[in-house]
Amino acid sequence: MFSKAQAFALLAALTATGVQAQSSGVTTRYWDCCKTSCAWSGKASVSQPVKTCDKNNNPLSDASIKSGCDGGTAYACAANSPWAVNDSLAYGFAAVNLAGSTESAWCCSCYQLTFTSGPVAGKTMIVQATNTGGDVGGSQFDIMIPGGGVGAFPQGCINQYGSTSGWGAQYGGVSSRAQCSSLPSALQAGCQFRFDWYKGADNPNVTWQKVTCPAALVNVSGCLRNGESTNGGPTITTTTSKAGTTTTTTRQSGSTSSSSGGTAAHYAQASPLNLRPLT
């Protein structure tokens, strides 16, 4: 967990000189289990398409496998769930639709969202665009949150997990933290995030700007735009206890670079001050 001093330093770096002008936008939430649009080859100039998983959340290596929402066996990985870095900063993934831009420009780009309404006002979330919101409006970020609603593609999670009984409304999802226990165990922490760090916010407004991707996000998605680098903070370790069992999870942050020649390479520890906005 970052100290308060590190958190303030990181957020200061995110708003340093040279920041792209902030734009206003809206957020929604979803989790439909479908293979994301940026997981297909040829969508953008990237190191590799976004990782997908089989129905048991084992990573797949073939980007041509059809989506589980279209008769195939590729699904969104449970690891795409959001997580809190500290009380004021979180990481996650989103389907986006940005006015004046295109999928080839936003696939695997990262965006800093500063919430301006609801109980999360003042908090910051950095999301990587892994999907395109064909059914959302301009300047909208549809954040991937398990239990956030299966939306227009209800069959995907049924195909992956067998049932969505107890998953809440088709649009909006579950309405309480307790309902998260109805989801598969791999998705419960991501569902609980909505009622813990996210404070049960319902589609809060944001200001947003494009930023350098944290390595922690790229390590999950496997996707980095060619010619861009990533930067991150120190290793984040969280410990949870349940029924007398203690589980420790470590997310390693670092620095990664990518060129048009191939996959992401060169990992090294980085200071949180290195996370910089893109112009």
Side-chain angles (χ1 to χ4, degrees):
M1 185 68 69
F2 286 171
S3 68
K4 286 186 178 180
Q6 288 175 312
F8 287 141
L10 176 58
L11 293 176
L14 286 169
T15 54
T17 302
V19 172
Q20 172 190 12
Q22 291 189 345
S23 301
S24 297
V26 298
T27 65
T28 45
R29 60 183 181 271
Y30 85 104
W31 189 276
D32 61 12
C33 301
C34 299
K35 176 179 180 176
T36 61
S37 184
C38 301
W40 293 98
S41 297
K43 286 300 184 85
S45 179
V46 294
S47 59
Q48 65 179 50
V50 172
K51 293 177 183 177
T52 58
C53 287
D54 65 17
K55 67 187 302 180
N56 296 312
N57 285 300
N58 298 309
L60 298 172
S61 58
D62 185 354
S64 68
I65 297 176
K66 290 179 64 175
S67 171
C69 292
D70 190 31
T73 57
Y75 300 91
C77 301
N80 290 171
S81 298
W83 72 92
V85 177
N86 55 48
D87 287 344
S88 59
L89 176 66
Y91 290 161
F93 301 90
V96 306
N97 190 326
L98 303 179
S101 188
T102 62
E103 183 176 60
S104 62
W106 64 59
C107 264
C108 299
S109 293
C110 287
Y111 300 91
Q112 175 193 334
L113 310 181
T114 301
F115 297 103
T116 58
S117 67
V120 286
K123 289 192 174 191
T124 298
M125 186 172 188
I126 299 175
V127 297
Q128 185 176 40
T130 55
N131 204 359
T132 293
D135 57 346
V136 301
S139 296
Q140 182 169 343
F141 296 84
D142 203 7
I143 301 172
M144 295 183 73
I145 303 179
V150 294
F153 301 97
Q155 196 60 37
C157 292
I158 294 175
N159 291 343
Q160 184 173 12
Y161 294 107
S163 172
T164 54
S165 176
W167 287 42
Q170 181 176 353
Y171 293 93
V174 301
S175 57
S176 71
R177 192 181 194 279
Q179 286 182 287
C180 293
S181 62
S182 298
L183 274 64
S185 58
L187 300 180
Q188 289 181 16
C191 178
Q192 292 164 355
F193 166 91
R194 180 176 148 213
F195 301 97
D196 296 338
W197 189 93
Y198 208 57
K199 297 184 178 296
D202 187 21
N203 301 342
N205 295 328
V206 294
T207 56
W208 63 270
Q209 59 193 19
K210 185 176 178 180
V211 296
T212 304
C213 284
L217 286 175
V218 174
N219 289 345
V220 173
S221 71
C223 186
L224 177 65
R225 293 188 65 84
N226 289 332
E228 293 189 3
S229 298
T230 72
N231 290 277
T235 299
I236 307 302
T237 301
T238 57
T239 302
T240 57
S241 297
K242 182 178 181 181
T245 301
T246 299
T247 302
T248 299
T249 302
T250 300
R251 298 181 183 273
Q252 180 68 48
S253 297
S255 178
T256 309
S257 65
S258 176
S259 67
S260 58
T263 59
H266 119 214
Y267 293 84
Q269 191 65 32
S271 161
L273 292 175
N274 288 340
L275 189 58
R276 62 188 183 280
L278 294 179
T279 56

